[in-house]
Amino acid sequence: MTNEDVGTNSVANRLQVGPREGVTYPIQMKYCGHCTMPIEYCEYYPEYEKCKDWLERNMPDDFERLKIEEEAAAADGTDDDKKRQKRGGKGLLRVKKKEDVPKRICVSRAARGKKKSVTVVTGLSTFDIDLKVAAKFFGTKFACGSSVTGDDEIVIQGDVKDDLFDVIPEKWAEIDEDVIEDLGDQKRT
């Protein structure tokens, strides 16, 4: 047998079709409850610390195993090479830091055509409120269309500006009526 035959044989073994010896099927994957990826890939997620917390609470055995592997990689000095991007692709996602923006909600009315108007609500995201959920709530509450149009803007069809001063603090207890500001009539840009 030549060296070429030995090399071909090992490649054929690695590319073997069908079930492998020593592997139980079906393969059970364990997923992280925070990032929803397999737990082996949590380290590549931008919020890895939150994944670690979730793993420690819900999967202590797997957390210990990953912790031991991490310590071994740190001792070898291979940890930095894993996270550094070699070439191409987008690299590791960056988590946006929230700026210290004053917490206030602005409510205004904007004309839409001659007789119709829309109500614009901005500032809900400063209170960590999911804008899609809020838009859905406003749409069902006022029986109208409501959508998220910008980074921090919800447009509600119809003039419901006056009702919002009561509805928002009622729905979200952390918002006081004093932080809601009426900007009056404005033109939409």
Side-chain angles (χ1 to χ4, degrees), residues 68-184:
I68 291 169
E69 289 174 6
E70 240 178 43
E71 290 169 358
D76 295 345
T78 57
D79 196 32
D80 290 339
D81 291 342
K82 242 194 260 183
K83 296 201 179 188
R84 192 175 311 127
Q85 180 183 0
K86 296 284 190 259
R87 54 180 276 230
K90 292 183 179 179
L92 193 63
L93 296 172
R94 301 283 180 233
V95 178
K96 292 182 181 176
K97 292 184 178 178
K98 293 193 178 185
E99 300 168 12
D100 290 335
V101 180
K103 291 188 172 192
R104 89 188 158 123
I105 297 173
C106 299
V107 178
S108 63
R109 186 176 57 207
R112 190 175 71 94
K114 290 186 178 181
K115 294 182 180 179
K116 296 184 179 184
S117 63
V118 294
T119 305
V120 181
V121 181
T122 56
L124 284 175
S125 64
T126 58
F127 290 91
D128 291 330
I129 294 172
D130 187 6
L131 296 180
K132 286 184 179 180
V133 172
K136 176 85 171 169
F137 170 73
F138 293 142
T140 54
K141 179 74 175 175
F142 300 120
C144 64
S146 177
S147 62
V148 179
T149 56
D151 279 351
D152 187 19
E153 183 179 74
I154 297 177
V155 175
I156 307 166
Q157 294 177 3
D159 181 11
V160 293
K161 183 176 67 171
D162 297 331
D163 299 334
L164 285 173
F165 289 98
D166 299 326
V167 170
I168 291 174
E170 184 180 304
K171 172 71 174 167
W172 295 283
E174 68 268 18
I175 300 174
D176 190 31
E177 195 173 329
D178 299 335
V179 298
I180 303 174
E181 186 178 339
D182 185 359
L183 300 180

Side-chain angles (χ1 to χ4, degrees), residues 54-70:
W54 187 89
L55 280 172
E56 191 173 14
R57 277 181 293 165
N58 299 303
M59 297 180 172
D61 298 336
D62 295 311
F63 176 73
E64 288 299 321
R65 184 178 51 84
L66 285 175
K67 193 173 172 184
I68 291 169
E69 289 174 6
E70 240 178 43

